[in-house]
Amino acid sequence: DAGVTQSPTHLIKTRGQQVTLRCSPKSGHDTVSWYQQALGQGPQFIFQYYEEEERQRGNFPDRFSGHQFPNYSSELNVNALLLGDSALYLCASSLSRNQPQHFGDGTRLSIL
Amino acid sequence: DQQVKQNSPSLSVQEGRISILNCDYTNSMFDYFLWYKKYPAEGPTFLISISSIKDKNEDGRFTVFLNKSAKHLSLHIVPSQPGDSAVYFCAALRAGKSTFGDGTTLTVKP
C-alpha cells in the first residue's frame, strides 16, 4: 500500500520563476494538506484541500495556490518565487480533516 | 505569535530510561494534540494523539499527558531505545489546520 508520494524530490529555481509541486495521497485518503518547513523549524500550514476545494488556509500570500483533482491528488503552485521560498514542502493526507496525517518525504525547493 | 512551543531543542537520555518531551500551547480551542516523529530525509510519521477532552492516552511505550489548565502536554517514552532517536514534533489540530512546534531532537544513547 503506497503512502503519500511527492514529486519531484529536489528542485532548483531562480527568483521570479514559477513552480508546481505534486502529491499523491495515501490510498483511501481524500483530504490533502500542504506545509512549508524551513530549516530548524516545524512545518507551517499552507492550505488544505477536500472535495477539490480549498477548505483552510494558513498565513501565506496569494502567490501560493493549489488544486485537488478528482482522484484526490494535489498540486501546489508558487508564483514569483522569492529567495525566502527556499524550504522543504511537505504534503500530508488524511481520512478526514481532523484525523492524523500521513506525510510524504517532501520536495526540497532551492531558489537561487 | 507562535501558538505551539517546544522549548527544549534537544534531549539526551540513556537507553532504558524514560524520555519526557514537552510542549506548550496558547489557544484553548484546539481539538486534538498529536506527536510526530521525524527521521532525516523522511517526512514526519504520526506517533500518538489525544483529544482535548482527555488527559491521558497510552500506546505501548508511548504515553501522552494533557494538562488543559496549564496548556501543556508531554510525551513519555518508556523504556527509551536507540531507535527512538529522532526529531519529535508536537502539533495542535483545529478545523483541519495543524499548528506545529519547532521540534525536539531526542538522542537515546546505548
Side-chain angles (χ1 to χ4, degrees):
Chain A
D1 177 26
V4 178
T5 58
Q6 293 186 242
S7 63
T9 306
H10 295 90
L11 203 51
I12 300 175
K13 292 286 188 178
T14 56
R15 282 179 297 174
Q17 285 190 311
Q18 177 265 343
V19 68
T20 297
L21 310 182
R22 295 177 174 83
C23 172
S24 292
K26 179 178 170 63
S27 177
H29 287 187
D30 60 6
T31 303
V32 174
S33 301
W34 286 92
Y35 294 84
Q36 179 193 68
Q37 185 177 16
L39 203 60
Q41 297 182 14
Q44 299 293 310
F45 178 80
I46 302 176
F47 41 54
Q48 182 181 76
Y49 276 83
Y50 171 69
E51 290 186 339
E52 303 179 49
E53 289 192 16
E54 183 182 296
R55 300 292 179 171
Q56 276 279 8
R57 189 177 182 93
N59 295 325
F60 280 81
D62 292 344
R63 298 187 297 109
F64 289 77
S65 63
H67 189 78
Q68 186 179 35
F69 299 94
N71 67 352
Y72 308 125
S73 67
S74 177
E75 289 182 350
L76 164 65
N77 301 292
V78 187
N79 295 321
L81 287 166
L82 303 174
L83 292 177
D85 295 333
S86 294
L88 179 69
Y89 288 84
L90 293 163
C91 173
S93 70
S94 57
L95 286 171
S96 67
R97 62 193 316 211
N98 272 348
Q99 291 292 312
Q101 295 174 320
H102 292 246
F103 283 82
D105 290 337
T107 294
R108 172 71 61 187
L109 176 62
S110 299
I111 310 302
L112 303 180
Chain B
D1 178 30
Q2 196 167 9
Q3 295 190 61
V4 177
K5 286 188 178 180
Q6 296 177 254
N7 292 316
S8 298
S10 62
L11 175 68
S12 180
V13 300
Q14 208 66 34
E15 180 180 5
R17 304 295 291 270
I18 184 172
S19 295
I20 300 176
L21 297 104
N22 295 301
C23 179
D24 297 300
Y25 62 95
T26 57
N27 186 349
S28 59
M29 301 300 289
F30 288 124
D31 298 314
Y32 296 91
F33 300 91
L34 308 95
W35 286 94
Y36 290 84
K37 179 170 72 173
K38 186 181 186 301
Y39 293 118
E42 295 182 10
T45 301
F46 169 70
L47 203 53
I48 191 170
S49 65
I50 187 168
S51 165
S52 62
I53 62 173
K54 305 282 189 182
D55 53 20
K56 178 182 176 182
N57 188 27
E58 190 172 355
D59 183 3
R61 297 186 297 115
F62 303 92
T63 303
V64 56
F65 295 93
L66 177 61
N67 182 334
K68 288 181 283 295
S69 61
K71 293 190 176 66
H72 177 85
L73 66 154
S74 60
L75 174 68
H76 292 211
I77 306 174
V78 183
S80 301
Q81 300 173 353
D84 295 330
S85 297
V87 179
Y88 287 78
F89 289 101
C90 164
L93 179 61
R94 172 169 169 76
K97 178 180 176 182
S98 290
T99 303
F100 283 77
D102 286 338
T104 296
T105 300
L106 173 66
T107 303
V108 180
K109 298 180 178 180

